[in-house]
Amino acid sequence: MATNYYTGIRSVILSTGSYLPNKVLTNKDLEAMVDTTDEWIFQRSGIRERCIAGDDETTGNMAIAAAKKALEAAGLTGSDIDGVIVATTTPDRTFPAVAVKVQAALDIPVGIAFDVQAVCTGFVYAMSVADNFIRLGQAKRVLVIGAEKMSSILNWEDRGTCVLFGDGAGAIIMEADESGDGSIADRGIHSTHLYANGQQRDLLYTDGGPSTTGKAGCIVMQGREVFKYAVQYMADVVEEALEENNITSADVDWLVPHQANIRIIEATAKKLGLSMDKVIVTVEKHGNTSAASIPLALDEAVQDGRIKKSDLLLIEGMGGGLTWGSALVRF
Ligand code: UT7
């Protein structure tokens, strides 16, 4: 599904923020836990270490911490926000949504607040949903968060999955902006493309849930199959974003991909003809933080000065469902 028509309003990203737990689990640490090696993990995935949340670092608490940073960066308070959307697969409770916890903690007034579940593509879905609210005039400023405690749904005896994931949260504030002229020079979101193929839902899933086992369950993945589709879908969805906006990859300042595997990221960059120094990569330090990975990468590159105001960003993600999608954004 594509969204790229101009209503006179664009959703501009005002600011970013993030939170990572202090505890770092290295590949060396994992060598003592399962039959694996630092060399295998790094060569196959590009991961060296990941952050692991403590008991108090729930998805909701990490989301709140990231959101506070984004508010501070924009010079705003909770009262300036009229919507909260949290992308997560690992909510504090089955219900209510993590978004209402964030809303309450930050004194955000009564308005929309809900979670989006599209696994690793969740943040792209959440951005797209927020963009639609904003472009249709239903919201002015939306807090969009990707937050995950993936460590809580890992089988720590399955070396095929437990070495890949990490915890954390990232947030952005999206604001309605009517100053553009409808051209690609406008700041804000220019297009989003979202997809899901439910026929592929058994390639990556948890072996539990409220209405089946009554427990959250653990991640089960057919890694090689998911890898194959990830490379194909990412290549297709970024090409589609460029075509739809009548631009080429030379116009893109930064590729901000979901951080699952460096080999998938490199394949997408290669397909686009983009050198890796135009790609934001955090997978080495964060592992795969599912819906949190894109806003974490975005915030890191904003904080260190790589991503600047008016840079053109091509954002893409892919995950369980299978789901995948992209967003083209002038920052
Ligand atoms: O974010 C959502 C989307 N998720 C992804 O995009 C993940 C996509 N998949 C991948 O990133 C990769 O498939 C993995 C990193 C998960 C695995 O890499 P691979 O090159 O596809 O390896 P493989 O699954 O084909 O496994 C190769 C071998 C197997 O042994 P045999 O059957 O060849 O004897 C595995 O049992 O590596 C073995 N293996 C391990 N060895 C050491 C699997 N996990 C480990 C491990 N340490 N942790």
Side-chain angles (χ1 to χ4, degrees):
M1 190 190 75
T3 299
N4 76 336
Y5 59 88
Y6 181 53
T7 61
I9 305 175
R10 288 215 194 270
S11 313
V12 167
I13 299 179
L14 273 188
S15 66
T16 62
S18 65
Y19 177 85
L20 285 164
N22 282 330
K23 184 182 170 192
V24 172
L25 186 72
T26 65
N27 291 351
K28 282 278 169 210
D29 297 332
L30 281 161
E31 285 181 0
M33 296 164 66
V34 285
D35 181 14
T36 193
T37 59
D38 172 41
E39 193 189 11
W40 189 95
I41 301 170
F42 187 67
Q43 273 182 5
R44 301 292 176 125
S45 70
I47 300 167
R48 284 272 188 221
E49 57 187 44
R50 70 288 289 144
C51 299
I52 300 293
D55 290 345
D56 293 342
E57 291 173 309
T58 66
T59 294
N61 291 344
M62 292 191 286
I64 290 163
K68 278 184 180 164
K69 291 271 176 58
L71 283 172
E72 271 167 35
L76 298 173
T77 66
S79 61
D80 299 310
I81 301 295
D82 56 8
V84 185
I85 304 178
V86 177
T88 189
T89 298
T90 48
D92 293 18
R93 294 173 171 165
T94 301
F95 80 88
V98 172
V100 299
K101 182 171 178 172
V102 174
Q103 183 194 30
L106 300 178
D107 293 322
I108 293 170
V110 170
I112 51 164
F114 58 94
D115 292 356
V116 164
Q117 158 59 294
V119 207
C120 300
T121 320
F123 190 75
V124 183
Y125 267 70
M127 277 179 79
S128 180
V129 172
D131 180 41
N132 286 335
F133 273 106
I134 289 171
R135 286 183 310 111
L136 292 177
Q138 290 179 298
K140 289 254 179 288
R141 258 190 226 119
V142 183
L143 185 55
V144 181
I145 303 170
E148 300 281 17
K149 188 166 178 173
M150 297 307 280
S151 61
S152 66
I153 55 166
L154 289 174
N155 172 356
W156 287 98
E157 291 176 358
D158 175 13
R159 66 176 184 170
T161 52
C162 77
V163 303
L164 301 174
F165 294 90
D167 302 332
I172 62 174
I173 296 171
M174 288 169 50
E175 183 183 59
D177 186 314
E178 297 182 46
S179 66
D181 61 7
S183 76
I184 195 72
D186 291 353
R187 287 187 67 213
I189 296 185
H190 285 263
S191 69
T192 56
H193 288 84
L194 304 179
Y195 295 99
N197 180 353
Q199 302 292 344
Q200 298 171 322
R201 68 193 181 283
D202 290 336
L203 296 179
L204 177 52
Y205 62 95
T206 61
D207 58 0
S211 70
T212 49
T213 61
K215 295 189 176 124
C218 291
I219 295 176
V220 181
M221 177 167 74
Q222 292 183 37
R224 214 174 300 182
E225 282 292 290
V226 175
F227 185 95
K228 191 179 75 187
Y229 288 113
V231 170
Q232 181 194 324
Y233 290 157
M234 292 298 82
D236 291 350
V237 85
V238 292
E239 290 287 349
E240 190 179 19
L242 297 181
E243 265 172 41
E244 197 117 341
N245 288 284
N246 294 312
I247 59 170
T248 69
S249 58
D251 297 306
V252 173
D253 293 301
W254 296 103
L255 179 68
V256 188
H258 169 51
Q259 311 281 323
N261 187 316
I262 190 69
R263 292 184 292 143
I264 299 171
I265 296 172
E266 284 170 351
T268 312
K270 191 172 172 201
K271 176 87 185 173
L272 284 170
L274 277 183
S275 77
M276 283 304 286
D277 55 16
K278 289 185 120 191
V279 184
I280 308 299
V281 178
T282 55
V283 68
E284 184 171 348
K285 288 177 298 170
H286 299 174
N288 182 348
T289 57
S290 190
S293 92
I294 290 170
L296 275 165
L298 195 57
D299 187 50
E300 179 169 306
V302 169
Q303 296 303 330
D304 68 22
R306 275 177 294 169
I307 292 181
K308 295 185 182 63
K309 198 169 165 181
S310 295
D311 280 353
L312 193 62
L313 313 180
L314 182 50
I315 293 172
E316 46 95 340
M318 186 267 177
L322 296 179
T323 54
W324 64 103
S326 72
L328 188 86
V329 187
R330 193 169 292 284
F331 188 72

